[in-house]
Amino acid sequence: MAEHPHAALVRKGYEAFQRGDMDTLRSLMTGDCTHHVPGSHPLSGDYKGIEAVLGDYYGRLAVETGGSFRVELLHVFVDGRGHAMTVHRFTADRGDRHIDENGGIVFRIVGDKISDLDECVEDMARADAFWS
């Protein structure tokens, strides 16, 4: 049975993120997409617009971790109505700190593009401590 198009879209996005392929990510997202980052640390907040998502957030993830930020997609769930939800594991090093944590993202998909990403983490206090 073929994978649902929304699951395939999200999987392609994760693969592009892992490669640092911002051109592919740009092609998968709407120009006005928003990525919501939980917590109360310097990277948390709402990144509105594709340039803010790709540059201000994803770019900063790479800079803050010296390129060590990695994410492994574990599961993708879809509802067939424009939503996809993932479960992933992410790791990174930042100075003398290391994080190895579960998380996920709830995606909203309009047409064939990602329009909104709501990020979730398993342990918000741990994530806040790592990024602060």
Side-chain angles (χ1 to χ4, degrees):
M1 190 174 223
E3 185 173 48
H4 190 278
H6 293 163
L9 174 70
V10 167
R11 191 175 307 282
K12 185 175 180 180
Y14 269 83
E15 291 166 359
F17 180 88
Q18 276 303 105
R19 292 190 313 270
D21 183 351
M22 295 301 123
D23 290 334
T24 295
L25 282 172
R26 185 180 311 280
S27 75
L28 302 176
M29 297 178 175
T30 62
D32 63 350
C33 67
T34 302
H35 191 131
H36 309 277
V37 181
S40 56
H41 55 79
L43 276 73
S44 64
D46 297 330
Y47 295 85
K48 298 178 182 179
I50 198 156
E51 297 308 323
V53 172
L54 298 182
D56 298 342
Y57 182 47
Y58 297 174
R60 192 159 174 207
L61 286 174
V63 169
E64 293 286 331
T65 64
S68 69
F69 189 88
R70 296 286 178 260
V71 63
E72 176 189 3
L73 179 61
L74 302 173
H75 303 286
V76 181
F77 306 98
V78 297
D79 70 356
R81 296 178 293 116
H83 301 94
M85 181 179 74
T86 62
V87 176
H88 60 244
R89 186 145 197 94
F90 65 96
T91 60
D93 295 302
R94 192 166 179 254
D96 62 351
R97 289 175 273 180
H98 177 75
I99 194 163
D100 185 341
E101 186 80 16
N102 289 316
I105 300 176
V106 176
F107 294 83
R108 285 168 191 78
I109 300 165
V110 176
D112 60 352
K113 296 208 180 232
I114 297 164
S115 67
D116 199 66
L117 303 91
D118 282 312
E119 189 174 325
C120 300
V121 294
E122 183 175 48
D123 186 330
M124 194 155 328
R126 188 178 309 155
D128 283 344
F130 178 78
W131 293 111
S132 293

